[in-house]
Amino acid sequence: MNIILFGPPGVGKGTQGEKVASEKNLDHLAMGDILRAAVREETQAGLKAKTYMDAGKLVPDDVVVAMIEDKIVDSDASGFLLDGFPRNVAQAEALASMLAKHSLKIDRTIFMDAPEENLIKRLCGRLICRACGFGFHRQYSPPLKSGCCDRCGGELYQREDDREDVIANRLRVYQEQTRPLLDYYQHQEGFFKLDAGGEMDAVYAALNKIV
Ligand code: AMP
């Protein structure tokens, strides 16, 4: 089972995608996480990506396409879940030819959406564990001890690009470049639309049903 999850920043692709992937034994290929790891490791691609990411812009297609192809080819789980890739039509076209090359196909393409005011609230309050990457929210799912991860005790931080000015830019980039993917995918087999504006558990139940 191979899945694409796409939608605006803050819609819950990461949280919901991780849950589905671990339950179905799929590789969770989150493009943002892959890029942040490359930035931390100061690889050539990571150094190139950083300035784009800090500004809330898309990293050039050739960089992300090459990175995701490596991950797809290396995957030995019972499938993969793409979260945050593709993010524009050129990437979707590159993905289609990459999949054909490796005799793979996508079984579900799921578009998650929520009102913009929910997205902004979710992004502004988001906290991430520096050690294990687990996500919290200042209001909706605060850690038991302030600044400290419930799972591993690691330090919690706010992502550079979860600042209000950068969020505005990410949402603009989403409207201009990622939302057109809806036209690209919505008439293809296996396409589903998921209302992700509600409570986390209800959204997960709906997602699980689609999968
Ligand atoms: P995310 O963690 O999915 O919110 O992604 C964080 C940032 O990584 C984005 O704002 C972009 O700068 C970059 N990024 C993630 N996925 C892609 C992609 N498919 N294409 C280009 N840039 C991406």
Side-chain angles (χ1 to χ4, degrees), residues 33 36-37 39-41 50 54 126-136 138 143 145-161:
D33 290 347
R36 279 183 289 278
V39 171
R40 272 197 308 277
E41 287 157 20
K50 189 175 183 323
D54 287 348
R126 191 155 75 166
L127 296 169
I128 318 274
C129 173
R130 221 178 263 291
C132 72
F134 195 69
F136 295 85
R138 285 197 180 94
K145 192 175 156 207
S146 167
C148 213
C149 176
D150 293 355
R151 280 194 171 177
C152 75
E155 180 202 358
L156 301 183
Y157 77 105
Q158 181 177 36
R159 268 170 50 176
E160 267 295 299
D161 59 352

Tab-separated table of all heavy atoms in Angstrom, residues 33 36-37 39-41 50 54 126-136 138 143 145-161:
chain	number	residue	atom	x	y	z
A	33	ASP	N	10.818	16.469	7.256
A	33	ASP	CA	11.726	15.812	8.219
A	33	ASP	C	13.029	15.401	7.525
A	33	ASP	O	14.118	15.539	8.090
A	33	ASP	CB	11.073	14.549	8.808
A	33	ASP	CG	9.912	14.878	9.733
A	33	ASP	OD1	9.761	16.057	10.113
A	33	ASP	OD2	9.142	13.953	10.070
A	36	ARG	N	15.004	18.536	7.100
A	36	ARG	CA	15.574	19.036	8.365
A	36	ARG	C	16.756	18.168	8.811
A	36	ARG	O	17.745	18.670	9.337
A	36	ARG	CB	14.495	19.115	9.470
A	36	ARG	CG	13.637	20.383	9.348
A	36	ARG	CD	12.618	20.511	10.470
A	36	ARG	NE	11.566	19.535	10.332
A	36	ARG	CZ	10.503	19.668	9.539
A	36	ARG	NH1	10.339	20.756	8.828
A	36	ARG	NH2	9.590	18.732	9.466
A	37	ALA	N	16.674	16.847	8.564
A	37	ALA	CA	17.805	15.967	8.915
A	37	ALA	C	19.019	16.338	8.065
A	37	ALA	O	20.152	16.393	8.569
A	37	ALA	CB	17.411	14.506	8.695
A	39	VAL	N	19.676	19.253	6.827
A	39	VAL	CA	20.198	20.543	7.322
A	39	VAL	C	21.073	20.291	8.561
A	39	VAL	O	22.192	20.804	8.660
A	39	VAL	CB	19.038	21.515	7.668
A	39	VAL	CG1	19.558	22.757	8.384
A	39	VAL	CG2	18.264	21.913	6.402
A	40	ARG	N	20.569	19.451	9.475
A	40	ARG	CA	21.336	19.146	10.701
A	40	ARG	C	22.675	18.497	10.369
A	40	ARG	O	23.695	18.807	10.963
A	40	ARG	CB	20.546	18.177	11.587
A	40	ARG	CG	19.600	18.850	12.561
A	40	ARG	CD	19.164	17.891	13.668
A	40	ARG	NE	18.648	16.633	13.198
A	40	ARG	CZ	17.388	16.428	12.796
A	40	ARG	NH1	16.526	17.425	12.814
A	40	ARG	NH2	16.993	15.248	12.379
A	41	GLU	N	22.647	17.587	9.385
A	41	GLU	CA	23.876	16.864	9.029
A	41	GLU	C	24.784	17.679	8.110
A	41	GLU	O	25.863	17.233	7.735
A	41	GLU	CB	23.501	15.538	8.343
A	41	GLU	CG	22.940	14.525	9.324
A	41	GLU	CD	22.055	13.469	8.644
A	41	GLU	OE1	22.186	13.289	7.418
A	41	GLU	OE2	21.234	12.868	9.350
A	50	LYS	N	18.411	25.003	3.310
A	50	LYS	CA	18.153	25.769	4.539
A	50	LYS	C	17.573	27.164	4.294
A	50	LYS	O	16.588	27.549	4.931
A	50	LYS	CB	19.433	25.865	5.373
A	50	LYS	CG	19.163	26.450	6.755
A	50	LYS	CD	20.388	26.442	7.630
A	50	LYS	CE	20.108	26.952	9.049
A	50	LYS	NZ	19.175	28.022	9.205
A	54	ASP	N	13.954	28.344	5.777
A	54	ASP	CA	13.833	29.413	6.772
A	54	ASP	C	12.893	30.509	6.296
A	54	ASP	O	12.251	31.189	7.099
A	54	ASP	CB	15.209	30.008	7.100
A	54	ASP	CG	16.045	29.061	7.949
A	54	ASP	OD1	15.468	28.077	8.463
A	54	ASP	OD2	17.263	29.289	8.090
A	126	ARG	N	2.699	25.170	17.845
A	126	ARG	CA	3.350	23.869	17.724
A	126	ARG	C	4.717	23.829	18.416
A	126	ARG	O	5.505	24.757	18.291
A	126	ARG	CB	3.510	23.582	16.234
A	126	ARG	CG	3.917	22.201	15.892
A	126	ARG	CD	3.473	21.861	14.522
A	126	ARG	NE	4.296	22.498	13.510
A	126	ARG	CZ	4.278	22.134	12.233
A	126	ARG	NH1	3.479	21.174	11.833
A	126	ARG	NH2	5.051	22.732	11.356
A	127	LEU	N	4.997	22.749	19.128
A	127	LEU	CA	6.306	22.539	19.769
A	127	LEU	C	6.801	21.153	19.372
A	127	LEU	O	6.018	20.206	19.333
A	127	LEU	CB	6.169	22.598	21.295
A	127	LEU	CG	5.735	23.931	21.894
A	127	LEU	CD1	5.377	23.765	23.374
A	127	LEU	CD2	6.851	24.971	21.749
A	128	ILE	N	8.094	21.063	19.097
A	128	ILE	CA	8.656	19.785	18.635
A	128	ILE	C	9.786	19.370	19.574
A	128	ILE	O	10.542	20.229	20.045
A	128	ILE	CB	9.276	19.930	17.213
A	128	ILE	CG1	8.411	20.776	16.289
A	128	ILE	CG2	9.628	18.575	16.594
A	128	ILE	CD1	7.333	20.098	15.546
A	129	CYS	N	9.897	18.070	19.798
A	129	CYS	CA	11.000	17.586	20.643
A	129	CYS	C	12.277	17.520	19.807
A	129	CYS	O	12.310	16.909	18.743
A	129	CYS	CB	10.676	16.204	21.193
A	129	CYS	SG	12.083	15.502	22.072
A	130	ARG	N	13.313	18.150	20.329
A	130	ARG	CA	14.590	18.180	19.618
A	130	ARG	C	15.211	16.787	19.524
A	130	ARG	O	15.905	16.462	18.568
A	130	ARG	CB	15.557	19.101	20.391
A	130	ARG	CG	16.384	19.982	19.503
A	130	ARG	CD	17.280	20.888	20.312
A	130	ARG	NE	16.734	22.229	20.521
A	130	ARG	CZ	16.590	23.149	19.573
A	130	ARG	NH1	16.933	22.890	18.334
A	130	ARG	NH2	16.095	24.342	19.869
A	131	ALA	N	14.905	15.926	20.510
A	131	ALA	CA	15.544	14.604	20.523
A	131	ALA	C	14.781	13.580	19.691
A	131	ALA	O	15.374	12.879	18.879
A	131	ALA	CB	15.678	14.125	21.972
A	132	CYS	N	13.447	13.475	19.874
A	132	CYS	CA	12.730	12.383	19.183
A	132	CYS	C	11.773	12.888	18.112
A	132	CYS	O	11.185	12.083	17.383
A	132	CYS	CB	11.979	11.508	20.191
A	132	CYS	SG	10.514	12.289	20.912
A	133	GLY	N	11.585	14.196	18.000
A	133	GLY	CA	10.754	14.747	16.921
A	133	GLY	C	9.260	14.724	17.221
A	133	GLY	O	8.455	15.155	16.388
A	134	PHE	N	8.864	14.227	18.391
A	134	PHE	CA	7.434	14.159	18.713
A	134	PHE	C	6.854	15.574	18.829
A	134	PHE	O	7.529	16.490	19.286
A	134	PHE	CB	7.231	13.374	20.020
A	134	PHE	CG	5.808	12.960	20.240
A	134	PHE	CD1	5.214	12.002	19.431
A	134	PHE	CD2	5.046	13.551	21.254
A	134	PHE	CE1	3.892	11.628	19.625
A	134	PHE	CE2	3.722	13.184	21.437
A	134	PHE	CZ	3.146	12.223	20.627
A	135	GLY	N	5.594	15.722	18.383
A	135	GLY	CA	4.989	17.054	18.361
A	135	GLY	C	4.006	17.294	19.505
A	135	GLY	O	3.273	16.390	19.909
A	136	PHE	N	3.994	18.520	20.017
A	136	PHE	CA	3.033	18.956	21.050
A	136	PHE	C	2.405	20.255	20.564
A	136	PHE	O	2.833	20.838	19.571
A	136	PHE	CB	3.738	19.214	22.386
A	136	PHE	CG	4.345	17.979	22.998
A	136	PHE	CD1	5.621	17.554	22.630
A	136	PHE	CD2	3.632	17.228	23.917
A	136	PHE	CE1	6.175	16.412	23.177
A	136	PHE	CE2	4.181	16.079	24.478
A	136	PHE	CZ	5.455	15.679	24.106
A	138	ARG	N	0.959	24.013	22.388
A	138	ARG	CA	0.846	24.773	23.643
A	138	ARG	C	-0.546	24.679	24.261
A	138	ARG	O	-0.687	24.543	25.459
A	138	ARG	CB	1.175	26.244	23.394
A	138	ARG	CG	2.643	26.493	23.219
A	138	ARG	CD	2.967	27.982	23.394
A	138	ARG	NE	4.390	28.194	23.229
A	138	ARG	CZ	4.972	28.534	22.079
A	138	ARG	NH1	4.249	28.725	21.004
A	138	ARG	NH2	6.273	28.684	22.007
A	143	PRO	N	2.684	19.554	26.796
A	143	PRO	CA	3.449	18.520	27.504
A	143	PRO	C	3.113	18.567	29.008
A	143	PRO	O	2.661	19.605	29.503
A	143	PRO	CB	4.900	18.955	27.262
A	143	PRO	CG	4.819	20.432	27.028
A	143	PRO	CD	3.506	20.686	26.365
A	145	LYS	N	5.209	18.481	31.477
A	145	LYS	CA	6.146	19.429	32.090
A	145	LYS	C	6.590	20.421	31.025
A	145	LYS	O	7.066	19.999	29.954
A	145	LYS	CB	7.354	18.649	32.621
A	145	LYS	CG	8.248	19.446	33.519
A	145	LYS	CD	9.340	18.562	34.095
A	145	LYS	CE	10.512	19.433	34.480
A	145	LYS	NZ	11.775	18.719	34.432
A	146	SER	N	6.425	21.701	31.305
A	146	SER	CA	6.710	22.728	30.299
A	146	SER	C	8.131	22.601	29.713
A	146	SER	O	9.120	22.460	30.463
A	146	SER	CB	6.517	24.103	30.967
A	146	SER	OG	7.048	25.090	30.143
A	147	GLY	N	8.210	22.631	28.393
A	147	GLY	CA	9.524	22.627	27.726
A	147	GLY	C	10.175	21.266	27.622
A	147	GLY	O	11.298	21.134	27.151
A	148	CYS	N	9.444	20.227	28.064
A	148	CYS	CA	10.060	18.913	28.195
A	148	CYS	C	9.189	17.836	27.513
A	148	CYS	O	7.983	17.796	27.733
A	148	CYS	CB	10.132	18.637	29.692
A	148	CYS	SG	11.514	17.703	30.175
A	149	CYS	N	9.775	16.977	26.707
A	149	CYS	CA	9.003	15.960	25.982
A	149	CYS	C	8.503	14.861	26.919
A	149	CYS	O	9.278	14.301	27.701
A	149	CYS	CB	9.902	15.344	24.902
A	149	CYS	SG	9.130	13.994	23.992
A	150	ASP	N	7.199	14.537	26.820
A	150	ASP	CA	6.614	13.474	27.659
A	150	ASP	C	7.217	12.114	27.334
A	150	ASP	O	7.290	11.236	28.174
A	150	ASP	CB	5.101	13.346	27.396
A	150	ASP	CG	4.332	14.569	27.864
A	150	ASP	OD1	4.950	15.458	28.464
A	150	ASP	OD2	3.116	14.620	27.607
A	151	ARG	N	7.595	11.923	26.071
A	151	ARG	CA	8.066	10.606	25.642
A	151	ARG	C	9.498	10.308	26.064
A	151	ARG	O	9.807	9.232	26.518
A	151	ARG	CB	8.022	10.532	24.122
A	151	ARG	CG	6.646	10.250	23.585
A	151	ARG	CD	6.802	9.873	22.131
A	151	ARG	NE	5.557	9.375	21.589
A	151	ARG	CZ	5.401	9.022	20.313
A	151	ARG	NH1	6.407	9.114	19.480
A	151	ARG	NH2	4.255	8.578	19.884
A	152	CYS	N	10.389	11.323	25.851
A	152	CYS	CA	11.812	11.011	26.058
A	152	CYS	C	12.518	12.030	26.950
A	152	CYS	O	13.710	11.892	27.218
A	152	CYS	CB	12.523	10.913	24.713
A	152	CYS	SG	12.810	12.513	23.936
A	153	GLY	N	11.802	13.081	27.387
A	153	GLY	CA	12.432	14.073	28.262
A	153	GLY	C	13.250	15.104	27.506
A	153	GLY	O	13.866	15.987	28.109
A	154	GLY	N	13.263	15.002	26.146
A	154	GLY	CA	14.047	15.944	25.329
A	154	GLY	C	13.510	17.371	25.421
A	154	GLY	O	12.385	17.599	25.893
A	155	GLU	N	14.324	18.297	24.908
A	155	GLU	CA	13.939	19.721	24.959
A	155	GLU	C	12.941	20.037	23.830
A	155	GLU	O	13.118	19.597	22.691
A	155	GLU	CB	15.213	20.551	24.776
A	155	GLU	CG	14.992	22.054	24.795
A	155	GLU	CD	16.123	22.827	24.089
A	155	GLU	OE1	17.080	22.169	23.624
A	155	GLU	OE2	16.019	24.047	24.001
A	156	LEU	N	11.892	20.806	24.145
A	156	LEU	CA	10.923	21.191	23.122
A	156	LEU	C	11.305	22.550	22.537
A	156	LEU	O	11.771	23.425	23.257
A	156	LEU	CB	9.509	21.279	23.724
A	156	LEU	CG	8.985	19.997	24.366
A	156	LEU	CD1	7.550	20.199	24.847
A	156	LEU	CD2	9.047	18.812	23.407
A	157	TYR	N	11.090	22.701	21.239
A	157	TYR	CA	11.410	23.984	20.594
A	157	TYR	C	10.343	24.333	19.557
A	157	TYR	O	9.575	23.464	19.126
A	157	TYR	CB	12.800	23.923	19.939
A	157	TYR	CG	12.840	23.169	18.632
A	157	TYR	CD1	12.931	23.844	17.418
A	157	TYR	CD2	12.787	21.776	18.605
A	157	TYR	CE1	12.956	23.149	16.209
A	157	TYR	CE2	12.816	21.089	17.400
A	157	TYR	CZ	12.901	21.777	16.208
A	157	TYR	OH	12.917	21.097	15.018
A	158	GLN	N	10.324	25.616	19.196
A	158	GLN	CA	9.424	26.050	18.125
A	158	GLN	C	10.227	26.110	16.830
A	158	GLN	O	11.322	26.688	16.809
A	158	GLN	CB	8.846	27.432	18.445
A	158	GLN	CG	7.895	27.888	17.349
A	158	GLN	CD	7.219	29.215	17.630
A	158	GLN	OE1	7.823	30.116	18.210
A	158	GLN	NE2	5.980	29.336	17.216
A	159	ARG	N	9.681	25.514	15.758
A	159	ARG	CA	10.390	25.557	14.477
A	159	ARG	C	10.532	26.987	14.006
A	159	ARG	O	9.623	27.787	14.162
A	159	ARG	CB	9.600	24.744	13.429
A	159	ARG	CG	10.033	23.312	13.344
A	159	ARG	CD	9.112	22.479	12.498
A	159	ARG	NE	8.810	23.034	11.189
A	159	ARG	CZ	8.074	22.404	10.267
A	159	ARG	NH1	7.594	21.206	10.520
A	159	ARG	NH2	7.818	22.969	9.098
A	160	GLU	N	11.707	27.285	13.418
A	160	GLU	CA	11.978	28.619	12.842
A	160	GLU	C	10.838	29.081	11.934
A	160	GLU	O	10.443	30.237	11.936
A	160	GLU	CB	13.238	28.538	11.958
A	160	GLU	CG	14.539	28.882	12.629
A	160	GLU	CD	14.599	30.322	13.074
A	160	GLU	OE1	14.511	31.215	12.220
A	160	GLU	OE2	14.735	30.541	14.296
A	161	ASP	N	10.335	28.120	11.122
A	161	ASP	CA	9.318	28.495	10.134
A	161	ASP	C	7.900	28.442	10.701
A	161	ASP	O	6.936	28.577	9.965
A	161	ASP	CB	9.451	27.660	8.854
A	161	ASP	CG	9.324	26.166	9.077
A	161	ASP	OD1	9.287	25.739	10.248
A	161	ASP	OD2	9.236	25.420	8.085
